[in-house]
Amino acid sequence: MATLYLFGPAAPPVFEVAEVIENAQARGWDVCLGLTPTAARWLGEQLPELERLTGHPVRSEYKLPGEPDVWPPADAILLAPATFNTVNAWALGLTSSFVVGVVAEGIGKRIPTVAMPCVNAAYVQHPQFDRSVETLRGAGVTVLYGPGGFEPNQPGERRPEGFPWHLALDAVGAIVSPTS
């Protein structure tokens, strides 16, 4: 069974992560869940259940130097819902958070990685966002943004059809077979 690192930044779709884990497991993945510090705070009461569901500790902080890793090595990484801050920090190499540090290192380790942003139409007007998306794509990351991926909504608005998690899981499965 292949290992999927599922990384969730703090955007409202992160509240659906238990269902996403179950869907990924049904597709054959061994899932390890990592969260940004804010997402971990948002899901605080659910963390024990998420650890039970995955069979692995939920991580949101770097381990201490010399400590053994509590997760198996990743065969693939999915970063979603990727916030404006996370996308830009990753593209710029600003690895102050565990999640961004692992995905940044994942580029160098050539771990197949899919990212699906969750940003509103106001944020994407900032000139850095498009540069960051192009930087990540140029580094080999599959960024599901635009037609066929996540399309920005208006500030404060959620799409009636919800966040397209299925597209993200499909994209990961198209790159790496979960049963490899």
Side-chain angles (χ1 to χ4, degrees), residues 42-63:
W42 286 6
L43 297 175
E45 292 181 10
Q46 298 175 41
L47 295 180
E49 176 58 21
L50 293 169
E51 289 185 351
R52 187 204 61 73
L53 185 61
T54 63
H56 301 285
V58 174
R59 295 188 55 197
S60 61
E61 296 181 13
Y62 285 109
K63 65 182 182 66

Side-chain angles (χ1 to χ4, degrees), residues 63-86:
K63 65 182 182 66
L64 293 174
E67 271 186 338
D69 202 333
V70 294
W71 287 355
D75 294 295
I77 298 172
L78 171 57
L79 176 66
T83 62
F84 177 79
N85 183 61
T86 299

Side-chain angles (χ1 to χ4, degrees), residues 9 12 17 20 33 52-53 56 67 106 111 121 142 175 177:
V17 76
V20 177
L33 178 63
R52 187 204 61 73
L53 185 61
H56 301 285
E67 271 186 338
I111 300 170
T142 300
I175 296 169
S177 170

Side-chain angles (χ1 to χ4, degrees), residues 57-141:
V58 174
R59 295 188 55 197
S60 61
E61 296 181 13
Y62 285 109
K63 65 182 182 66
L64 293 174
E67 271 186 338
D69 202 333
V70 294
W71 287 355
D75 294 295
I77 298 172
L78 171 57
L79 176 66
T83 62
F84 177 79
N85 183 61
T86 299
V87 169
N88 288 323
W90 182 13
L92 294 169
L94 304 175
T95 61
S96 59
S97 79
F98 164 71
V99 165
V100 176
V102 175
V103 294
E105 189 175 45
I107 290 171
K109 289 181 172 181
R110 305 217 184 290
I111 300 170
T113 302
V114 173
M116 183 177 285
C118 182
V119 293
N120 68 44
Y123 275 129
V124 300
Q125 298 307 308
H126 192 287
Q128 184 58 49
F129 187 76
D130 283 338
R131 287 193 291 266
S132 292
V133 168
E134 289 310 310
T135 295
L136 294 171
R137 285 178 174 158
V141 175

Side-chain angles (χ1 to χ4, degrees), residues 161-180:
E161 69 275 13
F163 189 73
W165 284 107
H166 65 285
L167 295 176
L169 289 172
D170 290 349
V172 172
I175 296 169
V176 175
S177 170
T179 56
S180 58

